Amino acid sequence: MFGGAILFLELRFRYRTYEKILKWLAFSIFSCVGVALVVRSELLDAVKAAVKPSLGFTTASLVAITAIFGTTISPYLFFWQNAEEVEEEREQNAAETTRENQKYRGISEMRADVASGMGAGVLVAMCIIYAAGASLNKSGVTDIATATQAAEALRPIAGNFCSLLFALGIIGTGLLAVPVLAGSSAYALADALGWEEGLSRPVHEAPAFYGIIVAGVVGGVAMNLLGLPAVKALYWSAVANGFAAPPLMLLINLLASSKDLMGDKVSGGLSKLWLWLGTGIMFAAGLASGIFSLSD
């Protein structure tokens, strides 16, 4: 049912309308903040552990760190963000026939968009880690294969309200994340193969682009019907993202530092410093987890 709803919305509505739907769905992720507030635990201890985590140099901990990086700075974000900026400009050009003085979004607006989105994402991620550690892990529940199992496991630990809040958050997040993930794959493949692409185009103008979206959503539904462990699949895809993101970040930094390509919009020193630092840390985490995995 949800797969059908996602496909209907993504294929039926043009970019400008669908963008508004996704913006409202984004509020669903804050249910994870609500779960963290409902779960009662030692918050001060959690803050101390976040600042000074007690992680050993084991294969499991290093792979987990790589997964956290991969799910926070995922390669699909680069494709989605870039593609949506193009969609904004495309819609803008279409609107200029009726509004002469319309301007493209400024760099400052893009920066605010990315900063607010990443800030909210990190906040929600910390709340998820805190809630899971304070409830499931504290009670010895460590083998969760699906979101349904997580919601049911929360019920005896944190109560019916917390379980319901988590379930609603998962539903909202799924309606938000699935079309973004499928859309990112479609943008990446369509760009690489030179196909017509874009949610601002009708289906008949970009059939291959929309075909990739349909294949992605149908594949996800099939995984669910086959009973494959969704949580484990998400975890290992995050690990793969952790390995795939650093080379892309390296290329982004090189491109953003090129005056020939960027002109007066070249990245500043502080931006480049943070990006090089993040790229180096992710490279190191991936390399360390790979070495420890091989040694085991």
Side-chain angles (χ1 to χ4, degrees), residues 255-275:
L255 292 171
S257 302
S258 172
K259 289 186 178 181
D260 292 337
L261 290 173
M262 302 301 296
D264 61 347
K265 297 296 189 293
V266 66
S267 288
L270 187 59
S271 294
K272 287 187 285 189
L273 174 64
W274 280 113
L275 187 51

PDB file of all heavy atoms in Angstrom, residues 255-275:
ATOM      1  N   LEU A 255      37.022  19.853  -6.961  1.00  0.00           N
ATOM      2  CA  LEU A 255      36.204  20.660  -7.872  1.00  0.00           C
ATOM      3  C   LEU A 255      35.869  22.018  -7.271  1.00  0.00           C
ATOM      4  O   LEU A 255      35.933  23.043  -7.945  1.00  0.00           O
ATOM      5  CB  LEU A 255      34.910  19.909  -8.217  1.00  0.00           C
ATOM      6  CG  LEU A 255      35.049  18.643  -9.061  1.00  0.00           C
ATOM      7  CD1 LEU A 255      33.719  17.903  -9.136  1.00  0.00           C
ATOM      8  CD2 LEU A 255      35.536  18.982 -10.464  1.00  0.00           C
ATOM      9  N   ALA A 256      35.503  22.008  -5.973  1.00  0.00           N
ATOM     10  CA  ALA A 256      35.119  23.256  -5.312  1.00  0.00           C
ATOM     11  C   ALA A 256      36.297  24.195  -5.110  1.00  0.00           C
ATOM     12  O   ALA A 256      36.113  25.389  -4.886  1.00  0.00           O
ATOM     13  CB  ALA A 256      34.470  22.948  -3.959  1.00  0.00           C
ATOM     14  N   SER A 257      37.524  23.655  -5.196  1.00  0.00           N
ATOM     15  CA  SER A 257      38.724  24.477  -5.017  1.00  0.00           C
ATOM     16  C   SER A 257      39.272  25.007  -6.340  1.00  0.00           C
ATOM     17  O   SER A 257      40.245  25.764  -6.346  1.00  0.00           O
ATOM     18  CB  SER A 257      39.818  23.658  -4.317  1.00  0.00           C
ATOM     19  OG  SER A 257      39.373  23.177  -3.061  1.00  0.00           O
ATOM     20  N   SER A 258      38.663  24.591  -7.456  1.00  0.00           N
ATOM     21  CA  SER A 258      39.158  24.976  -8.777  1.00  0.00           C
ATOM     22  C   SER A 258      38.570  26.319  -9.213  1.00  0.00           C
ATOM     23  O   SER A 258      37.355  26.436  -9.431  1.00  0.00           O
ATOM     24  CB  SER A 258      38.805  23.902  -9.801  1.00  0.00           C
ATOM     25  OG  SER A 258      39.095  24.322 -11.107  1.00  0.00           O
ATOM     26  N   LYS A 259      39.428  27.315  -9.372  1.00  0.00           N
ATOM     27  CA  LYS A 259      38.961  28.628  -9.837  1.00  0.00           C
ATOM     28  C   LYS A 259      38.511  28.576 -11.287  1.00  0.00           C
ATOM     29  O   LYS A 259      37.635  29.342 -11.699  1.00  0.00           O
ATOM     30  CB  LYS A 259      40.072  29.655  -9.665  1.00  0.00           C
ATOM     31  CG  LYS A 259      40.362  30.022  -8.214  1.00  0.00           C
ATOM     32  CD  LYS A 259      41.367  31.152  -8.114  1.00  0.00           C
ATOM     33  CE  LYS A 259      41.592  31.539  -6.654  1.00  0.00           C
ATOM     34  NZ  LYS A 259      42.559  32.648  -6.522  1.00  0.00           N
ATOM     35  N   ASP A 260      39.100  27.673 -12.074  1.00  0.00           N
ATOM     36  CA  ASP A 260      38.692  27.539 -13.468  1.00  0.00           C
ATOM     37  C   ASP A 260      37.239  27.099 -13.580  1.00  0.00           C
ATOM     38  O   ASP A 260      36.518  27.524 -14.485  1.00  0.00           O
ATOM     39  CB  ASP A 260      39.587  26.517 -14.185  1.00  0.00           C
ATOM     40  CG  ASP A 260      41.016  27.002 -14.335  1.00  0.00           C
ATOM     41  OD1 ASP A 260      41.218  28.241 -14.305  1.00  0.00           O
ATOM     42  OD2 ASP A 260      41.929  26.160 -14.453  1.00  0.00           O
ATOM     43  N   LEU A 261      36.798  26.243 -12.660  1.00  0.00           N
ATOM     44  CA  LEU A 261      35.424  25.748 -12.688  1.00  0.00           C
ATOM     45  C   LEU A 261      34.466  26.644 -11.903  1.00  0.00           C
ATOM     46  O   LEU A 261      33.346  26.895 -12.333  1.00  0.00           O
ATOM     47  CB  LEU A 261      35.365  24.335 -12.106  1.00  0.00           C
ATOM     48  CG  LEU A 261      36.008  23.224 -12.941  1.00  0.00           C
ATOM     49  CD1 LEU A 261      36.021  21.926 -12.158  1.00  0.00           C
ATOM     50  CD2 LEU A 261      35.270  23.035 -14.254  1.00  0.00           C
ATOM     51  N   MET A 262      34.911  27.124 -10.741  1.00  0.00           N
ATOM     52  CA  MET A 262      34.014  27.816  -9.807  1.00  0.00           C
ATOM     53  C   MET A 262      34.054  29.334  -9.932  1.00  0.00           C
ATOM     54  O   MET A 262      33.143  30.018  -9.459  1.00  0.00           O
ATOM     55  CB  MET A 262      34.361  27.412  -8.371  1.00  0.00           C
ATOM     56  CG  MET A 262      34.276  25.921  -8.101  1.00  0.00           C
ATOM     57  SD  MET A 262      32.629  25.244  -8.411  1.00  0.00           S
ATOM     58  CE  MET A 262      31.667  26.112  -7.185  1.00  0.00           C
ATOM     59  N   GLY A 263      35.132  29.862 -10.522  1.00  0.00           N
ATOM     60  CA  GLY A 263      35.233  31.319 -10.624  1.00  0.00           C
ATOM     61  C   GLY A 263      35.285  31.974  -9.264  1.00  0.00           C
ATOM     62  O   GLY A 263      36.052  31.566  -8.388  1.00  0.00           O
ATOM     63  N   ASP A 264      34.434  32.991  -9.052  1.00  0.00           N
ATOM     64  CA  ASP A 264      34.433  33.691  -7.763  1.00  0.00           C
ATOM     65  C   ASP A 264      33.647  32.948  -6.696  1.00  0.00           C
ATOM     66  O   ASP A 264      33.538  33.413  -5.562  1.00  0.00           O
ATOM     67  CB  ASP A 264      33.870  35.113  -7.924  1.00  0.00           C
ATOM     68  CG  ASP A 264      32.435  35.125  -8.410  1.00  0.00           C
ATOM     69  OD1 ASP A 264      31.941  34.068  -8.857  1.00  0.00           O
ATOM     70  OD2 ASP A 264      31.794  36.190  -8.350  1.00  0.00           O
ATOM     71  N   LYS A 265      33.081  31.774  -7.045  1.00  0.00           N
ATOM     72  CA  LYS A 265      32.323  30.970  -6.072  1.00  0.00           C
ATOM     73  C   LYS A 265      33.171  29.829  -5.514  1.00  0.00           C
ATOM     74  O   LYS A 265      32.650  28.848  -4.987  1.00  0.00           O
ATOM     75  CB  LYS A 265      31.054  30.396  -6.721  1.00  0.00           C
ATOM     76  CG  LYS A 265      30.067  31.451  -7.193  1.00  0.00           C
ATOM     77  CD  LYS A 265      29.521  32.253  -6.006  1.00  0.00           C
ATOM     78  CE  LYS A 265      28.386  33.165  -6.434  1.00  0.00           C
ATOM     79  NZ  LYS A 265      28.843  34.240  -7.328  1.00  0.00           N
ATOM     80  N   VAL A 266      34.499  29.942  -5.648  1.00  0.00           N
ATOM     81  CA  VAL A 266      35.381  28.894  -5.131  1.00  0.00           C
ATOM     82  C   VAL A 266      35.232  28.796  -3.612  1.00  0.00           C
ATOM     83  O   VAL A 266      34.942  29.788  -2.934  1.00  0.00           O
ATOM     84  CB  VAL A 266      36.844  29.204  -5.521  1.00  0.00           C
ATOM     85  CG1 VAL A 266      37.338  30.457  -4.827  1.00  0.00           C
ATOM     86  CG2 VAL A 266      37.751  28.027  -5.218  1.00  0.00           C
ATOM     87  N   SER A 267      35.388  27.581  -3.063  1.00  0.00           N
ATOM     88  CA  SER A 267      35.225  27.373  -1.621  1.00  0.00           C
ATOM     89  C   SER A 267      36.250  28.181  -0.834  1.00  0.00           C
ATOM     90  O   SER A 267      37.404  28.321  -1.250  1.00  0.00           O
ATOM     91  CB  SER A 267      35.380  25.890  -1.279  1.00  0.00           C
ATOM     92  OG  SER A 267      34.274  25.159  -1.720  1.00  0.00           O
ATOM     93  N   GLY A 268      35.825  28.653   0.328  1.00  0.00           N
ATOM     94  CA  GLY A 268      36.726  29.381   1.204  1.00  0.00           C
ATOM     95  C   GLY A 268      37.630  28.449   1.987  1.00  0.00           C
ATOM     96  O   GLY A 268      37.443  27.220   1.984  1.00  0.00           O
ATOM     97  N   GLY A 269      38.601  29.034   2.671  1.00  0.00           N
ATOM     98  CA  GLY A 269      39.579  28.233   3.409  1.00  0.00           C
ATOM     99  C   GLY A 269      38.959  27.390   4.491  1.00  0.00           C
ATOM    100  O   GLY A 269      39.316  26.215   4.654  1.00  0.00           O
ATOM    101  N   LEU A 270      38.004  27.941   5.252  1.00  0.00           N
ATOM    102  CA  LEU A 270      37.381  27.192   6.339  1.00  0.00           C
ATOM    103  C   LEU A 270      36.566  26.024   5.804  1.00  0.00           C
ATOM    104  O   LEU A 270      36.600  24.919   6.361  1.00  0.00           O
ATOM    105  CB  LEU A 270      36.494  28.128   7.173  1.00  0.00           C
ATOM    106  CG  LEU A 270      35.898  27.531   8.458  1.00  0.00           C
ATOM    107  CD1 LEU A 270      37.012  27.069   9.388  1.00  0.00           C
ATOM    108  CD2 LEU A 270      34.998  28.554   9.156  1.00  0.00           C
ATOM    109  N   SER A 271      35.821  26.247   4.716  1.00  0.00           N
ATOM    110  CA  SER A 271      35.036  25.167   4.113  1.00  0.00           C
ATOM    111  C   SER A 271      35.933  24.023   3.653  1.00  0.00           C
ATOM    112  O   SER A 271      35.643  22.845   3.885  1.00  0.00           O
ATOM    113  CB  SER A 271      34.234  25.706   2.921  1.00  0.00           C
ATOM    114  OG  SER A 271      33.261  26.627   3.334  1.00  0.00           O
ATOM    115  N   LYS A 272      37.032  24.395   2.997  1.00  0.00           N
ATOM    116  CA  LYS A 272      37.952  23.362   2.514  1.00  0.00           C
ATOM    117  C   LYS A 272      38.595  22.609   3.673  1.00  0.00           C
ATOM    118  O   LYS A 272      38.794  21.396   3.599  1.00  0.00           O
ATOM    119  CB  LYS A 272      39.014  23.998   1.618  1.00  0.00           C
ATOM    120  CG  LYS A 272      38.481  24.430   0.253  1.00  0.00           C
ATOM    121  CD  LYS A 272      39.584  24.894  -0.673  1.00  0.00           C
ATOM    122  CE  LYS A 272      40.088  26.269  -0.309  1.00  0.00           C
ATOM    123  NZ  LYS A 272      41.013  26.802  -1.337  1.00  0.00           N
ATOM    124  N   LEU A 273      38.921  23.348   4.755  1.00  0.00           N
ATOM    125  CA  LEU A 273      39.529  22.703   5.919  1.00  0.00           C
ATOM    126  C   LEU A 273      38.598  21.653   6.507  1.00  0.00           C
ATOM    127  O   LEU A 273      39.009  20.510   6.770  1.00  0.00           O
ATOM    128  CB  LEU A 273      39.881  23.751   6.975  1.00  0.00           C
ATOM    129  CG  LEU A 273      40.390  23.205   8.318  1.00  0.00           C
ATOM    130  CD1 LEU A 273      41.708  22.465   8.116  1.00  0.00           C
ATOM    131  CD2 LEU A 273      40.553  24.339   9.331  1.00  0.00           C
ATOM    132  N   TRP A 274      37.327  22.015   6.718  1.00  0.00           N
ATOM    133  CA  TRP A 274      36.366  21.075   7.292  1.00  0.00           C
ATOM    134  C   TRP A 274      36.152  19.873   6.375  1.00  0.00           C
ATOM    135  O   TRP A 274      36.038  18.729   6.827  1.00  0.00           O
ATOM    136  CB  TRP A 274      35.033  21.768   7.568  1.00  0.00           C
ATOM    137  CG  TRP A 274      35.032  22.570   8.821  1.00  0.00           C
ATOM    138  CD1 TRP A 274      34.938  23.925   8.938  1.00  0.00           C
ATOM    139  CD2 TRP A 274      35.131  22.070  10.169  1.00  0.00           C
ATOM    140  NE1 TRP A 274      34.986  24.301  10.255  1.00  0.00           N
ATOM    141  CE2 TRP A 274      35.090  23.193  11.036  1.00  0.00           C
ATOM    142  CE3 TRP A 274      35.255  20.802  10.724  1.00  0.00           C
ATOM    143  CZ2 TRP A 274      35.171  23.064  12.420  1.00  0.00           C
ATOM    144  CZ3 TRP A 274      35.328  20.673  12.105  1.00  0.00           C
ATOM    145  CH2 TRP A 274      35.284  21.797  12.935  1.00  0.00           C
ATOM    146  N   LEU A 275      36.083  20.136   5.063  1.00  0.00           N
ATOM    147  CA  LEU A 275      35.842  19.046   4.123  1.00  0.00           C
ATOM    148  C   LEU A 275      37.038  18.108   4.050  1.00  0.00           C
ATOM    149  O   LEU A 275      36.880  16.880   4.024  1.00  0.00           O
ATOM    150  CB  LEU A 275      35.525  19.605   2.737  1.00  0.00           C
ATOM    151  CG  LEU A 275      35.076  18.593   1.680  1.00  0.00           C
ATOM    152  CD1 LEU A 275      33.933  17.724   2.190  1.00  0.00           C
ATOM    153  CD2 LEU A 275      34.658  19.306   0.405  1.00  0.00           C
TER     154      LEU A 275
END
